[in-house]
Amino acid sequence: MTDTAETLNPLWAGLLVEELVRNGVNTFCISPGSRSTPLTMAAAQNARARCVVHFDERGAAYFALGYARTTEKPAALICTSGTAAANYLPAVIEADRSRIPLLLLTADRPPELRETGANQTILQAGLFGSYTRWRFDLPCPTRDIPPAFVLTTVDQAVFRACGPDAGPVHLNCPYREPLVPGETAGGLEASISSPWGDSNAPYTAHAPVRLGLDPASANRLCVMIAEARRPVVAVGQLNRAADRAAAAALAALLRCPVFPDVASGLRLGRPDPSVMTHFDLFLSSPEIARELQPDLVIQLGGPMVSKSYQRWLGLHRPARCVRINSHPERDDPGHLVSWRIQAALSQICEALAGCGTADNAPNKGVDAWFERVRDCQERSARALDRFFSAHHDLIEPAVARYIAGAVEQSDGLFLGSSMPIRDAQRYASACGQGPVVFANRGASGIDGSIATVAGAAFGSGRTLTAIVGDLAALHDLNSLALLRTIKTPTVLVIINNNGGGIFHFLPVSSQTAVFDPYFTAPHGLSFKDAAALFGLPYAKPDSMDDLKEAYTAALEQAGATLIEITTGRAENVALHKVIDEEVFKALQA
């Protein structure tokens, strides 16, 4: 084989793709381009690779993010050089903050063209800064470096992306021309000595990292829980099924109030009696928030949607605040944490199960505290049941409540940032089926919502329902092209209140001169023609009964359906206040 780019480019690209597949990364999200020709052809020609092509790199990156959320393994992104790679940044930030594995393969011009004014050439190495778990600028393919270097680089990249502190990894891949392989290109296995060429295993295997809890810390945690008289366990967003199962086991083990985020896996469905599904509501009551002053707070998992929970913590600043997570970052915006534990949630459960049989069993003597919090929970639930039983208008809280309860247990529910996830957190009943909830709450942006939904549906193969706002939908409108390729029933519910409805809940809403044009950004658009443009079935219900009929029909057909619901922003704020006042009255009765 001659020593030219014509043969070495396809060889290195083929090794890279093959080693990714051997590591279980078999889905490639490709955006067309020239400099990425070696990578694209390698993925297209690998019999075990699945390729998804999308013209927009930003949408492709969010598709990969949604895929990883549901499969718990990364997809690989392939793009050409220049600003194409820069379009990955919003999804990279979300993957970093949400700790979702992502692999970025950005093709690049060779080093001799950088900082020369060469076309479509930017400084791509380190482009994503501190948002990656690992980054590596590969050399141009050369005979001076053994091909095994490519394999060990890929193995390290997958290991770093999928570790306990999962996240994005960037491999920058420069290629010299020619980019199209010649007739003599090939021979992947022949370039590497056995046993790699004779197997389907990675070149370098990495043992999984097990984050345990040492006996002294386990005992300290048990004693701390046993001594507490007003303990609370808060459970934030959890990405992995194993973590959701461990959190549910922990809730059943400890007889203390558990405050579940809607993306924790504990908020929807029929949870353990210790799970207080409406804590966000009753902690919004100043009187109840003052009364329920904790002496120990243990928070697991990612961030919490509830602002009332954050205000409650800031108001009382419990002497003992324990933060448990599998990554090393502090996750403590209020600077409240007095003890931080880095460990797998399964290890925490094992430690507490072991101390639960001791003489100082957890939570001895906290029955009165538990029953008072439970009473607030039940009063809130009954007040919501009365309100929604008496009011059948098509309002945003009712939409979130109905959809959250209608999604089947084996299916998925994506909640968009801004109002949809807040309404589900606050008003959804605990009597639904308990689906797996997905949300881009790492950086809480509205970017890439539709693409995330498409990737989640593609990766899971299950029925998926999503609720997003109109600005989020407009922001990612071209990702309807991805949604149209999904074969399983997928329902996209767009709440169209003609602008940014969440701003009506903020102090800036009083600034009438600038509020509408500069903050809510009314657009006067409907999504009917957008659905037609991308060939998606469309419905626009006018009542709750119409919504139920349209949603049921959408679940019965393959592929994606767009359901648009129009509401009024000002009326929505007023209705939220009415609902909350009904709950506060019930709490004081």
Side-chain angles (χ1 to χ4, degrees), residues 75-408:
L77 289 156
I78 295 175
C79 74
T80 192
S81 62
T83 57
N87 280 292
Y88 286 159
L89 181 58
V92 169
I93 293 173
E94 178 60 33
D96 167 52
R97 303 316 306 152
S98 288
R99 293 175 170 82
I100 300 296
L102 207 63
L103 286 168
L104 315 169
L105 311 178
T106 59
D108 198 359
R109 259 59 174 176
E112 62 268 20
L113 293 183
R114 297 174 188 172
E115 299 191 72
T116 66
N119 183 50
Q120 206 169 322
T121 306
I122 65 173
L123 294 179
Q124 292 181 202
L127 177 64
F128 305 108
S130 62
Y131 295 111
T132 55
R133 295 297 177 270
W134 188 59
R135 61 177 185 255
F136 194 81
D137 189 25
L138 279 81
C140 290
T142 172
R143 286 286 178 200
D144 296 331
I145 300 174
F149 157 79
V150 179
L151 306 182
T152 62
T153 302
V154 171
D155 296 333
Q156 175 69 189
V158 176
F159 174 68
R160 298 290 286 273
C162 300
D165 188 19
V169 165
H170 178 206
L171 296 182
N172 194 53
C173 307
Y175 295 107
R176 293 189 174 97
E177 294 183 351
L179 302 172
V180 178
E183 295 181 0
T184 59
L188 296 183
E189 290 77 7
S191 65
I192 306 290
S193 61
S194 297
W196 186 87
D198 299 326
S199 75
N200 286 319
Y203 189 87
T204 302
H206 288 266
V209 177
R210 181 177 174 85
L211 292 177
L213 189 65
D214 65 279
S217 295
N219 183 67
R220 179 186 175 189
L221 184 59
C222 287
V223 171
M224 189 177 291
I225 294 172
E227 291 176 349
R229 292 298 174 264
R230 300 165 74 86
V232 166
V233 174
V235 185
Q237 179 170 343
L238 298 174
N239 296 323
R240 299 177 178 177
D243 288 341
R244 292 190 287 268
L250 186 63
L253 176 67
L254 301 176
R255 195 175 188 278
C256 70
V258 176
F259 292 173
D261 186 83
V262 71
S264 67
L266 276 67
R267 169 63 178 84
L268 302 180
R270 292 175 172 81
D272 185 274
S274 63
V275 175
M276 310 299 171
T277 55
H278 294 302
F279 74 94
D280 182 50
L281 258 177
F282 61 72
L283 290 182
S284 296
S285 164
E287 295 80 11
I288 297 300
R290 281 194 297 269
E291 178 188 350
L292 300 180
Q293 184 171 348
D295 61 2
L296 171 65
V297 173
I298 300 174
Q299 184 171 334
L300 319 171
M304 303 278 285
V305 169
S306 172
K307 285 189 175 181
S308 60
Y309 168 78
Q310 301 296 344
R311 285 195 299 266
W312 176 69
L313 281 186
L315 177 66
H316 298 297
R317 303 188 71 85
R320 291 179 171 180
C321 188
V322 181
R323 193 73 171 86
I324 301 173
N325 222 322
S326 59
H327 62 79
E329 294 187 20
R330 57 181 171 176
D331 274 3
D332 181 25
H335 308 289
L336 300 168
V337 173
S338 57
W339 189 30
R340 198 183 185 290
I341 301 173
Q342 184 181 1
L345 292 189
S346 59
Q347 296 297 301
I348 299 298
C349 280
E350 290 178 14
L352 295 182
C355 75
T357 58
D359 292 337
N360 62 342
N363 296 334
K364 187 183 295 181
V366 299
D367 286 355
W369 160 254
F370 180 89
E371 293 304 328
R372 177 58 182 132
V373 180
R374 186 70 197 168
D375 180 62
C376 293
Q377 158 68 21
E378 292 175 350
R379 287 171 181 261
S380 301
R382 289 196 296 268
L384 289 177
D385 288 343
R386 286 193 298 269
F387 179 87
F388 288 107
S389 295
H391 297 79
H392 304 285
D393 295 333
L394 194 62
I395 58 176
E396 294 183 29
V399 172
R401 183 178 172 91
Y402 165 69
I403 294 294
V407 180
E408 295 292 330

